[in-house]
Amino acid sequence: METQTLAPAQTTQLPQVQEPRSPGCALDLDWVMSAQANTSAIERRAKTLPGRRSVKKDHQAAWLLKAITMIDLTTLSGDDTWERVRRLCAKGRAPVRAEILEALGMDQISVGAICVYHDMVETAVEALAGSGIPVAAVSTGFPAGLSPLELRLKEIEASVKAGAQEIDIVISRRHVLTGNWQALYDETQAMRAACGEAHMKAILATGELGSLRNVARASLVAMMGGADFIKTSTGKESVNATLPVSLVMIRALRDFHDRTGYRIGYKPAGGISKAKDALTYLALIKEELGTRWLSPDLFRFGASSLLGDIERQLEHHVTGRYSAGYRHGLG
Amino acid sequence: MNVPEIFESMEYGPAPESAAEALAWLVDRGASFGHFIDGAWTEPRADFASQNPASGEVLADLTQATQADVDAAVAAARKAQPKWARLSGHRRARYLYALARLVQKHSRLLAVLETLDNGKPIRESRDIDIPLVSRHFYYHAGMAQLMETELPDRQPLGVCGQVFPWNFPLLMLAWKIAPALAMGNTVVLKPAEWTSLTALKFAELCQDAGLPKGVVNIVTGDGAVGELIVNADVDKVAFTGSTQVGRAIRRATAGSGKALTLELGGKSPYIVFDDADLDSAIEGLVDAIWFNQGQVCCAGSRLLVQEGVAQRFYAKLKKRMENLRIGDPLDKCIDIGAMVDPVQRARIAEMVAGSAGEVHQPVQAPEGCYYPPTLITGLAPADKLMQEEIFGPVLVGCTFRTPAEAVQLANNTRYGLAASVWSENINLALDVAPKLAAGVVWVNGTNMFDAAAGFGGVRESGFGREGGWEGLRAYTKPKGRGKKIAAIQAHTGSGATEGIDRTAKLYIGGKQARPDGGYSRMVYSPRGKALGEVGLANRKDIRNAVEAAGKATGWSKATAHNRAQVIYYIAENLSARAGEFAGRIRDLTGASAAKAKAEVEAAIERLFSFAAWADKYDSAAKPVPLRGMALAINEPVGTIGIFCRDDAPLLGLIEAIAPAIAMGNRVVAVACEPFPLAATDFYQVLETSDLPGGVVNILTGAHAELAPHLAGHMDVDAVWSFSGADLSKVIETEAATNLKRSWVNHGQQRDHTDRDWLAAATEVKTVWVPYGE
């Protein structure tokens, strides 16, 4: 079935976004099926990368600050409360202690987005008013994505209505595991339509897809279906973001850019908690995609504890002394 | 740049590794070095300087070894060797273990020193070279430990002269020293004159390890010193370096009885099929040709890419090249460092300038001894740069249409060191790997090394393996001594043969053939009775026989079971005519009936032995540190020329051809010179035994006359000589032409074990198959 691409009217911009939004494209199964991913070669590349790229001193500080601006500061817990979300939003507005920024010659920065469950969207939007920080909602029956499709689409619409500017959807893993690419494509497209002007981040839940080849193919189908971002994980799978998975996904989106001209964003999520890991991810993106991708409109970390480690590293950079966690404000 | 500016640009900054410790070590040593001989340092002389190619600064003054220095080093090694060999394997293992640990403990100093001296990126010396060095000593500590129980038939060679190159200075030292010491040899070695410093630091580690004096001796200097070592009183020469020098060493040592292993140049193919993970294949290329500035003997320097994906592949490759960072090798964020020397840089620039292809150099090299990563496309296989080793960061590429054509193009080279195959199809990859003329094949990978896996080449990439059990053959010899062979003259006589005239012919391509020259000679019994005339082969008969052998490729592909069946069948048919052959042997040699009968029985036994071995000389899967397999596959050598023993007319032929054909080789055998008629009778047995034509070709004639032609033939892969004639020197000299393997007797007769025969009849190909889903 030939599917219509989405209308250009829907390609409006988020404040951070600088270029036309991908409308997706027709499902190209030849392309999908030709995608290959050699696991051991990919692992070797991932393993040697940290040894090939090293960022030190002022450069490291600047890179870590950049990383903060690309964090989707996240709380996705059953015990989330409105106050908890407000605290998080306050941290998102001022993620680094003022005197540290001053020492680095930087103005205040903010995180990339605040990521919450649907019920918390309104609270977050309110708390972030005037900051320009978008709210991202995990909708579509997060994290399993097994509630009825109509309800998942309704949930997206409700989140958008509540003020979410980004929707992190979860794909139906079963479509990937059974090779039903058409179903995956149709579902993604329907969700994209439901998102309207909100940006759609497609969570592939790569830890449940069985192989890197499946990750590559699912990445392509999600982009064809109109994803603005592809994202590794819900954070709830037993394996979340890894460098090999990231390599496969960003190579898929590089191919997508080469063929369609549209840049798709990438969001690794889950398990990235150290400043050093963040630097490795940024180097990976810079190497494989180019510096253009090191920007909140094209790259995000889905993380909750990463910020704390970066803050400690920044204080160490400024003072020359190792820092302590309690010296930095909680989120 | 300040933080806000970097925040915008997101550039990499400098990430320098400190050279302070390494430079301090040089200062401590007075920045000048003598040789390390007999556990002590000689007085240094400033004969030449070791420079940092990245900066041009002089790191240290070094001493050019004289004849006296080399003599002293060899004498020290000679003196130390018996005691070292008499130590238990366990004692030697402890020394090697200590060296492994010392390398680890000083790993950063060694890595920085290597980078300073050689120009390679610190990432490589730190993450690849030095860890492999210590791994090699660990592994061979184990080999020393196991030698007594696992290699009971082998003994050390004695004193090994080892000359190694500048591209992996300490790693090549480890590859040479560790197996030599493990097996009870002592060494005199010479690092390349551009990169001696880590070897000199290693000498200190030997002192720290308490290694007995004289076991390791290190002299410095240029190629002239290498020549002195080759010509010195050493029992073995091991050389890694250029094919040109390797060939000269083969000639220089020809006939000397010195054991020799050569690890030489390459022009290794890098084959990308259309179903490969192209992005991973491109990353592999970075590790293949832009590793160590392309100064790697096994560099995947010849890209062969399937036509359907070629344009996409080239586009991706060019894009990837833009991200290669070239510059200060001590920077931890650098992919390509300095070329080892301005001489080398100039040589590469000149080769590239002469190319007719499209040259892509997207990254600019800094001023100085740097050369940019280069891709040259649009070349044909006949172009010079597709044929010759460049030894720099220069990749040449062309396309192919089918797997068969990929193999054909890959093998269209004088070299045969390594190859890479990229495909997601296991059938395709595992079908292509054995067809490639290379000592090492990497499936979906490149430049993987480990002490447990043999490394070495075929064709003009040299011979011998480094690493694994197979590597130990290069540092041991069979126990026991040979007996001097007394030359046996053909008997003389007169008169004509009795009965109907019967003419023994040559046996070429499965057919009886008259000698090209049209000459024959009469063979007489010890009492002077005429037994029959035999043809005198000349160089054209050799040409014809080699051509026939070359065509009989089906035999090499036949199953081992099938080869065994044929060899059993030969034995069966020989047995049926045992009485006749025994009679022939008696007539020819005058042997007693019992002795003649015993020779025939021994020949039949040999056929049974190697029919048995045909499907039992197992290949191995090596436990390399990788999720995957490194298969050590015993492959046939190819076409083997054989000069048979003179003292056993039938057994001499059969004991040599049986292992050769059992392993899938094709043979051109020159029969026993004084008593050739048993061999010519034998071709009738072959004719009735289902052996395909061309697998065994039998010539008769004068060994000394035929030896240079057979040994010099470019399409012969190995030459063996058990002849009573003194052929060793001429064979090894001529073998240098295409660096074919030689196994010659140096005038000594030995009883070879089955495993000796089998090892000579095979090449170990290491096929790396990393896997994972």
Side-chain angles (χ1 to χ4, degrees):
Chain A
M1 186 184 76
E2 190 72 10
T3 317
Q4 292 288 304
T5 54
L6 294 161
Q10 288 176 291
T11 60
T12 43
Q13 318 280 306
L14 277 175
Q16 300 160 329
V17 174
Q18 301 161 31
E19 54 185 278
R21 189 179 173 192
S22 161
C25 67
L27 177 65
D28 181 343
L29 280 176
D30 285 345
W31 181 4
V32 173
M33 295 314 287
S34 71
Q36 298 284 13
N38 186 281
T39 301
S40 63
I42 287 162
E43 286 172 350
R44 284 197 298 280
R45 166 69 168 151
K47 195 173 158 207
T48 57
L49 181 81
R52 288 176 199 262
R53 291 292 178 264
S54 181
V55 186
K56 298 291 177 198
K57 300 202 159 77
D58 276 358
H59 283 78
Q60 188 178 89
W63 279 48
L64 290 175
L65 290 166
K66 178 66 87 175
I68 291 172
T69 67
M70 298 190 288
I71 290 177
D72 279 4
L73 202 56
T74 302
T75 183
L76 293 171
S77 298
D79 58 359
D80 282 348
T81 60
W82 296 279
E83 258 327 290
R84 156 86 184 123
V85 168
R86 284 190 196 103
R87 285 208 308 261
L88 195 72
C89 291
K91 183 67 179 174
R93 281 168 175 266
V96 182
R97 242 169 55 210
E99 63 268 33
I100 293 175
L101 286 170
E102 202 176 318
L104 293 168
M106 291 285 293
D107 295 332
Q108 185 56 269
I109 54 173
S110 63
V111 297
I114 298 293
C115 183
V116 292
Y117 269 115
H118 168 77
D119 260 15
M120 300 293 157
V121 171
E122 274 179 70
T123 311
V125 168
E126 209 173 281
L128 292 170
S131 70
I133 301 172
V135 173
V138 294
S139 306
T140 71
F142 184 91
L146 281 166
S147 52
L149 180 61
E150 317 91 76
L151 296 186
R152 283 182 273 151
L153 295 175
K154 286 253 158 49
E155 192 184 357
I156 294 174
E157 284 162 13
S159 296
V160 174
K161 205 167 158 210
Q165 287 175 285
E166 302 180 6
I167 305 294
D168 288 25
I169 62 138
V170 292
I171 67 159
S172 296
R173 279 74 113 182
R174 59 193 179 281
H175 294 329
V176 177
L177 296 173
T178 57
N180 194 348
W181 304 113
Q182 184 69 52
L184 180 64
Y185 178 77
D186 292 345
E187 177 188 88
T188 316
Q189 246 199 348
M191 290 178 177
R192 166 69 190 265
C195 284
E197 294 189 6
H199 275 217
M200 181 168 82
K201 306 205 201 90
I203 303 175
L204 305 184
T206 53
E208 293 178 350
L209 297 186
S211 72
L212 289 181
R213 195 177 310 99
N214 272 349
V215 170
R217 291 176 180 173
S219 299
L220 287 173
V221 174
M223 289 186 282
M224 290 170 182
D228 296 290
F229 259 75
I230 49 176
K231 173 176 169 186
T232 57
S233 322
T234 64
K236 312 289 184 190
E237 293 86 51
S238 56
V239 180
N240 296 299
T242 64
L243 282 178
V245 156
S246 299
L247 201 49
V248 171
M249 291 174 71
I250 65 180
R251 282 173 175 175
L253 66 84
R254 182 172 65 193
D255 274 350
F256 191 82
H257 176 247
D258 287 347
R259 293 215 199 179
T260 68
Y262 288 105
R263 291 192 171 89
I264 302 299
Y266 178 62
K267 178 176 172 185
I272 304 165
S273 56
K274 297 286 175 212
K276 194 167 189 287
D277 298 338
L279 292 172
T280 301
Y281 270 93
L282 297 188
L284 178 75
I285 297 298
K286 185 173 165 71
E287 288 299 303
E288 295 278 332
L289 297 174
T291 308
R292 171 64 189 87
W293 255 270
L294 295 178
S295 163
D297 65 329
L298 290 174
F299 184 78
R300 300 283 178 80
F301 287 111
S304 40
S305 59
L306 173 61
L307 178 57
D309 195 52
I310 293 180
E311 288 176 271
R312 286 194 293 276
Q313 295 307 320
L314 287 173
E315 186 168 34
H316 172 245
H317 177 76
V318 168
T319 65
R321 289 172 182 82
Y322 291 108
S323 180
Y326 64 76
R327 297 172 57 82
H328 307 280
L330 275 177
Chain B
M1 265 201 301
N2 60 27
V3 171
E5 284 163 356
I6 303 165
F7 180 82
E8 291 308 321
S9 73
M10 287 301 283
E11 280 177 19
Y12 294 115
E17 174 73 38
S18 167
E21 299 280 327
L23 294 173
W25 176 75
L26 289 169
V27 169
D28 283 352
R29 292 296 314 262
S32 69
F33 293 87
H35 312 297
F36 182 69
I37 297 174
D38 205 17
W41 293 91
T42 64
E43 200 57 41
R45 277 193 316 268
D47 292 331
F48 65 102
S50 202
Q51 289 182 331
N52 177 350
S55 64
E57 70 183 313
V58 171
L59 295 167
D61 289 323
L62 301 177
T63 310
Q64 169 89 358
T66 61
Q67 180 74 56
D69 293 327
V70 172
D71 289 347
V74 172
R78 181 68 67 200
K79 189 160 158 251
Q81 197 268 328
K83 200 172 165 199
W84 177 248
R86 273 200 309 275
L87 286 182
S88 68
H90 175 64
R91 299 310 305 185
R92 287 201 304 275
R94 286 183 175 210
Y95 285 115
L96 287 164
Y97 180 73
L99 286 171
R101 297 301 296 253
L102 281 161
V103 168
Q104 276 184 325
K105 282 184 264 193
H106 297 278
S107 59
R108 193 54 63 90
L109 176 63
L110 288 166
V112 172
L113 198 56
E114 197 78 298
T115 287
L116 283 173
D117 205 13
N118 165 281
K120 65 172 64 196
I122 183 71
R123 188 218 35 125
E124 294 179 7
S125 48
R126 179 196 66 200
D127 294 351
I128 299 170
D129 290 48
I130 306 304
L132 282 171
V133 169
S134 93
R135 163 87 180 128
H136 222 76
F137 281 105
Y138 271 114
Y139 181 83
H140 285 94
M143 286 302 197
Q145 178 75 31
L146 298 179
M147 184 182 182
E148 283 144 30
T149 55
E150 299 306 306
L151 300 168
D153 302 331
R154 311 288 292 180
Q155 60 179 341
L157 290 164
V159 175
C160 301
Q162 306 180 316
V163 178
F164 54 94
W166 43 260
N167 57 345
F168 295 91
L170 192 64
L171 181 56
M172 291 301 104
L173 171 145
W175 281 20
K176 302 258 176 293
I177 287 190
L181 263 46
M183 294 296 104
N185 303 280
T186 54
V187 299
V188 174
L189 54 100
K190 183 194 89 69
E193 69 271 28
W194 286 334
T195 55
S196 307
L197 298 182
T198 47
L200 296 166
K201 174 67 199 170
F202 179 81
E204 277 192 3
L205 298 185
C206 290
Q207 289 179 305
D208 296 346
L211 202 66
K213 59 182 191 171
V215 171
V216 169
N217 303 276
I218 299 176
V219 296
T220 51
D222 60 12
V225 180
E227 258 180 77
L228 294 177
I229 292 174
V230 167
N231 294 322
D233 173 31
V234 294
D235 303 297
K236 188 237 163 75
V237 174
F239 172 75
T240 296
S242 75
T243 292
Q244 194 191 348
V245 174
R247 188 172 283 129
I249 292 175
R250 170 71 291 181
R251 292 200 173 111
T253 56
S256 66
K258 288 175 190 170
L260 178 64
T261 45
L262 299 172
E263 203 269 272
L264 308 175
K267 188 77 179 175
S268 297
Y270 190 98
I271 307 170
V272 181
F273 286 102
D274 60 6
D275 67 343
D277 173 354
L278 297 186
D279 291 309
S280 287
I282 280 170
E283 215 48 54
L285 262 180
V286 171
D287 288 335
I289 187 65
W290 295 305
F291 172 49
N292 200 17
Q293 295 72 249
Q295 301 165 140
V296 184
C297 51
C298 55
S301 53
R302 207 157 42 100
L303 170 65
L304 303 172
V305 55
Q306 198 154 14
E307 219 171 296
V309 294
Q311 289 318 310
R312 200 147 72 89
F313 192 81
Y314 288 149
K316 278 173 176 282
L317 179 56
K318 287 175 195 170
K319 196 109 199 282
R320 177 67 183 87
M321 289 172 72
E322 290 170 12
N323 281 352
L324 292 170
R325 290 169 54 82
I326 178 169
D328 179 7
L330 274 176
D331 191 312
K332 287 179 270 191
C333 207
I334 280 293
D335 299 305
I336 299 177
M339 305 300 291
V340 70
D341 192 271
V343 172
Q344 181 68 5
R345 195 209 163 278
R347 206 180 64 80
I348 289 154
E350 191 186 312
M351 285 183 91
V352 171
S355 163
E358 284 174 60
V359 178
H360 308 273
Q361 292 180 330
V363 178
Q364 224 170 355
E367 281 297 304
C369 196
Y370 294 91
Y371 195 81
T374 303
L375 166 69
I376 307 181
T377 54
L379 292 177
D383 286 323
K384 190 175 158 197
L385 288 190
M386 287 292 283
Q387 298 281 340
E388 292 192 7
E389 185 175 38
I390 299 173
F391 223 64
V394 182
L395 177 68
V396 296
C398 80
T399 62
F400 66 87
R401 295 168 297 172
T402 62
E405 191 173 62
V407 170
Q408 198 184 15
L409 285 168
N411 290 346
N412 183 223
T413 171
R414 281 173 292 138
Y415 296 109
L417 191 49
S420 283
V421 181
W422 287 80
S423 165
E424 288 301 295
N425 179 345
I426 190 172
N427 297 301
L428 177 61
L430 294 185
D431 183 46
V432 166
K435 292 177 179 165
L436 297 171
V440 184
V441 178
W442 295 292
V443 173
N444 292 323
T446 191
N447 280 341
M448 295 164 172
F449 310 102
D450 184 60
F455 181 88
V458 299
R459 296 187 178 169
E460 293 186 28
S461 293
F463 42 78
R465 293 290 176 267
E466 298 188 286
W469 292 98
E470 56 271 39
L472 301 182
R473 291 197 79 83
Y475 287 98
T476 56
K477 61 182 180 187
K479 280 188 177 163
R481 294 173 147 265
K483 286 192 307 256
K484 195 163 167 29
I485 298 180
I488 298 175
Q489 298 302 320
H491 301 300
T492 53
S494 58
T497 53
E498 291 167 8
I500 298 175
D501 182 75
R502 203 170 144 219
T503 311
K505 299 208 181 83
L506 311 179
Y507 185 62
I508 295 175
K511 295 192 176 66
Q512 301 180 25
R514 264 190 281 280
D516 171 86
Y519 288 100
S520 300
R521 79 167 174 91
M522 183 62 80
V523 179
Y524 299 98
S525 75
R527 293 189 181 161
K529 192 173 103 181
L531 297 173
E533 283 194 294
V534 67
L536 292 174
N538 65 12
R539 64 196 297 264
K540 290 199 174 156
D541 296 307
I542 284 184
R543 176 198 66 189
N544 296 344
V546 171
E547 195 177 325
K551 283 185 184 152
T553 51
W555 182 251
S556 303
K557 293 178 208 149
T559 64
H561 172 68
N562 181 233
R563 291 197 301 265
Q565 277 183 307
V566 171
I567 297 168
Y568 280 125
Y569 196 20
I570 295 171
E572 180 188 324
N573 287 327
L574 178 59
S575 177
R577 293 169 62 175
E580 176 200 329
F581 273 93
R584 180 63 107 179
I585 292 167
R586 289 194 73 184
D587 288 347
L588 285 165
T589 64
S592 69
K595 212 174 153 214
K597 185 168 178 239
E599 183 177 335
V600 178
E601 287 306 311
I604 294 168
E605 187 278 334
R606 292 285 76 199
L607 287 164
F608 259 64
S609 276
F610 287 104
W613 274 117
D615 55 4
K616 293 172 196 67
Y617 191 48
D618 296 342
S619 299
K622 299 300 185 77
V624 292
L626 164 91
R627 187 187 59 225
M629 302 179 288
L631 302 173
I633 300 175
N634 296 320
E635 291 195 339
V637 175
T639 298
I640 302 178
I642 301 173
F643 292 90
C644 297
R645 266 161 73 176
D646 286 342
D647 62 334
L650 181 67
L651 180 61
L653 175 71
I654 286 173
E655 70 177 3
I657 65 170
I661 65 174
M663 293 296 105
N665 299 283
R666 291 92 67 182
V667 165
V668 175
V670 183
C672 158
E673 184 171 337
F675 317 124
L677 288 174
T680 54
D681 290 347
F682 184 68
Y683 63 62
Q684 292 182 340
V685 174
L686 295 179
E687 279 174 335
T688 56
S689 303
D690 291 346
L691 185 74
V695 175
V696 172
N697 304 277
I698 299 173
L699 305 180
T700 49
H703 288 187
E705 207 175 290
L706 296 173
H709 303 300
L710 191 51
H713 197 302
M714 303 278 196
D715 210 14
V716 171
D717 301 292
V719 179
W720 301 350
S721 172
F722 314 100
S723 173
D726 183 15
L727 308 180
S728 300
K729 189 178 171 77
V730 66
I731 286 176
E732 290 189 332
T733 305
E734 285 297 325
T737 316
N738 70 339
L739 289 162
K740 60 173 68 69
R741 287 100 192 88
S742 59
W743 188 30
V744 296
N745 60 6
H746 299 290
Q748 301 274 315
Q749 188 171 324
R750 285 181 163 276
D751 288 330
H752 300 293
T753 63
D754 286 3
R755 285 197 177 268
D756 290 339
W757 288 106
L758 293 164
T762 49
E763 289 282 2
V764 179
K765 174 188 272 181
T766 306
V767 180
W768 292 72
V769 191
Y771 51 68
E773 177 65 24

